[in-house]
Amino acid sequence: MARTPRDVAQNPVVRHGPGVKNHRMHEVKLSDGTITLSPLRLDDVEAHLAGEDELLVRWLNGGPGTRAGIEAYFRHCREQWDTAGPLRAFGIRMGADEVLVGTIDLRFAGEGLAPGQVNVAYGLYPSWRGRGLATRAVLLASQYAAGEGGAEAVIQVEPENPASAAVAQRAGFTPCKPTHSTDDTRFDWYILDLHAAAR
């Protein structure tokens, strides 16, 4: 699981990123034939709360979720889609009934990101890990980011989270400079040139 540093996740930047287009939630659905990415919605709250475990809390969320908190966040995600804000939050879904198996989000602006860089943060629920689904989700989300004007996708991983680093490398990201957040958490950066990946 890779995550957005806590200060960015809790205080999203509200300015529009370059090239970020407005898409209504119901218009966006990405699939590779195995998984589907579509915007998070309020009826995902129950599945998300049921799927949250210690690893998601530690590496992605920064704290355990509550129903009220998750509902507020999912409403914020919808608002971001509807207003062309810098956040694009997707549910990772499986099967014809599109069971929610995790989440992935893109941030087209945020602390430490250069213009054109897009932060990618993802996490799967426990019973869905180890099947290559996170790598598939990262590849689909990166294709979407390229189509929305992103130049580089960035995955930030804490050094103690080798499973997430392995996802980044399987998806073709290259290790880059480590950085430190405002709370001094170290993040190893992995970068993918979206223009090269689109060729």
Side-chain angles (χ1 to χ4, degrees):
M1 276 143 256
R3 68 179 171 90
T4 302
R6 284 183 192 95
D7 50 336
V8 177
Q10 293 172 357
N11 300 302
V13 177
V14 293
R15 66 178 183 268
H16 297 263
V20 178
K21 302 170 190 166
N22 185 16
H23 291 288
R24 293 284 177 194
M25 288 185 61
H26 64 277
E27 295 175 355
V28 180
K29 190 178 262 193
L30 315 171
S31 181
D32 67 0
T34 299
I35 64 165
T36 299
L37 303 184
S38 61
L40 288 168
R41 47 191 191 250
L42 282 178
D43 62 2
D44 290 326
V45 170
E46 192 67 41
H48 182 76
L49 286 168
E52 186 178 77
D53 70 342
E54 181 183 334
L55 292 178
L56 277 175
V57 168
R58 178 176 182 189
W59 300 123
L60 186 67
N61 302 341
T66 64
R67 179 173 303 283
I70 298 300
E71 286 178 357
Y73 178 68
F74 283 11
R75 279 191 189 95
H76 171 71
C77 293
R78 178 178 184 136
E79 189 177 281
Q80 289 288 291
W81 281 100
D82 289 345
T83 62
L87 171 65
R88 299 284 180 275
F90 295 93
I92 304 169
R93 305 176 195 280
M94 284 286 295
D97 50 357
E98 297 190 353
V99 172
L100 187 69
V101 302
T103 64
I104 186 164
D105 72 50
L106 302 172
R107 289 185 188 267
F108 286 82
E111 180 191 342
L113 295 177
Q117 288 185 324
V118 182
N119 190 77
V120 183
Y122 48 86
L124 293 174
Y125 306 135
S127 60
W128 297 97
R129 294 177 190 146
R131 305 184 192 190
L133 303 179
T135 303
R136 287 177 173 276
V138 167
L139 290 170
L140 271 177
S142 295
Q143 290 170 9
Y144 175 82
E148 293 296 291
E152 284 186 332
V154 176
I155 294 176
Q156 300 180 55
V157 180
E158 293 179 53
E160 300 81 14
N161 187 0
S164 190
V167 167
Q169 292 178 311
R170 281 194 300 271
F173 285 64
T174 303
C176 196
K177 62 173 177 151
T179 62
H180 289 82
S181 65
T182 53
D183 67 0
D184 209 36
T185 302
R186 176 186 159 148
F187 288 95
D188 293 332
W189 277 43
Y190 295 84
I191 292 185
L192 178 68
D193 180 337
L194 293 173
H195 299 305
R199 288 184 200 133

